[in-house]
Structure formats: C-alpha cells, structure tokens
C-alpha cells in the first residue's frame, strides 16, 4: 500500500491550500484517514482525521479553518486549509488505517509528506 500526498507549497498568511492523498495498492478496506504535521524541532501532531462513515475530528488549532474530506471510491483524503497562519508551516503527512485483505488485520500507512510554508 502506498500513500501519495500532493498540494503543498508556499502561501501568504491568510491564503489557502488544498492537500490530497491517494492510497493505492492492495486495499480491501480503509477505516480512518488523516493528516498530521511536523514543524522543525517539534513532534508530529495530528491535524485532522476522518472515518469511513464521515465522522471527523480536528486539532483545536485548526478548527474553523481546515476541513478534511474523503472520496471512498478513490481512496483519497483531502485537507482544505483556509486562513493559513505562519504557525501552520510544517511538513504534512497523510495516514491511513488499511486492511489489505479481509483475512488480515489493520495496518497504519504513512505518506512521504508534503511541505507547507506560510510566509509573506
């Protein structure tokens, strides 16, 4: 299973970006998909995650500004980021909890990360 993230870049404060992450490979089912971020010198923290039924959770720091969504048919998760702040600058990683086969258990997979820089 591979997760391919895209959509990062440089944006001015107050701007917007949309991240995408597509899962591919041997996939029977995906329950949770999410986004994490890691700023230089800091630990990796959860940003938002979404269950296959659509339930969502957000870090307090992004509530009201970020929206997570997913397309189950495409095994893809999105993160719409609005009103971006310099403190949102980080490498953003997508994560998916995948069952590759109905006879197997669930495994957590990570994408390689995409850089988001918010600066004037």
């Amino acid at each position: 299973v591979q997760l391919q993230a895209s959509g990062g870049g440089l944006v001015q404060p107050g701007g917007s970006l949309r991240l995408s992450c597509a899962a591919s490979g041997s996939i029977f089912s995906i329950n949770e998909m999410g986004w994490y971020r890691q700023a230089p010198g800091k630990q990796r923290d959860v940003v938002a995650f979404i269950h296959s039924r659509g339930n969502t959770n957000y870090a307090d720091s992004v509530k009201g500004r970020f929206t997570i969504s997913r397309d189950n048919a495409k095994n893809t998760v999105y993160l719409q980021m609005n009103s971006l702040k310099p403190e949102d600058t980080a490498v953003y990683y997508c994560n998916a909890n995948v069952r590759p086969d109905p006879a197997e258990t669930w495994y957590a997979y990570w994408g390689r990360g995409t850089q988001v820089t918010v600066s004037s």
Side-chain angles (χ1 to χ4, degrees), residues 34-100:
W35 291 94
Y36 291 70
R37 66 186 181 187
Q38 187 168 19
K42 295 188 177 181
Q43 67 180 18
R44 188 176 298 187
D45 290 326
V46 63
V47 176
F49 57 91
I50 182 169
H51 195 273
S52 58
R53 298 188 189 93
N55 309 69
T56 58
N57 290 84
Y58 295 91
D60 288 342
S61 59
V62 306
K63 283 181 181 176
R65 300 188 298 122
F66 291 10
T67 302
I68 190 169
S69 61
R70 65 189 281 175
D71 184 331
N72 290 332
K74 296 180 179 180
N75 292 328
T76 299
V77 63
Y78 305 95
L79 186 68
Q80 177 65 43
M81 304 184 293
N82 299 328
S83 303
L84 282 160
K85 304 175 181 180
E87 51 264 43
D88 294 317
T89 296
V91 177
Y92 284 69
Y93 298 90
C94 59
N95 168 273
N97 206 30
V98 179
R99 177 177 280 183

Side-chain angles (χ1 to χ4, degrees), residues 1 3 23 27-34 50-52 70 94-100 105-110:
V1 176
L3 300 183
I27 298 171
F28 172 73
S29 180
I30 303 176
N31 51 16
E32 287 189 349
M33 302 185 80
I50 182 169
H51 195 273
S52 58
R70 65 189 281 175
C94 59
N95 168 273
N97 206 30
V98 179
R99 177 177 280 183
T105 187
W106 298 90
Y107 298 94
Y109 293 91
W110 291 89

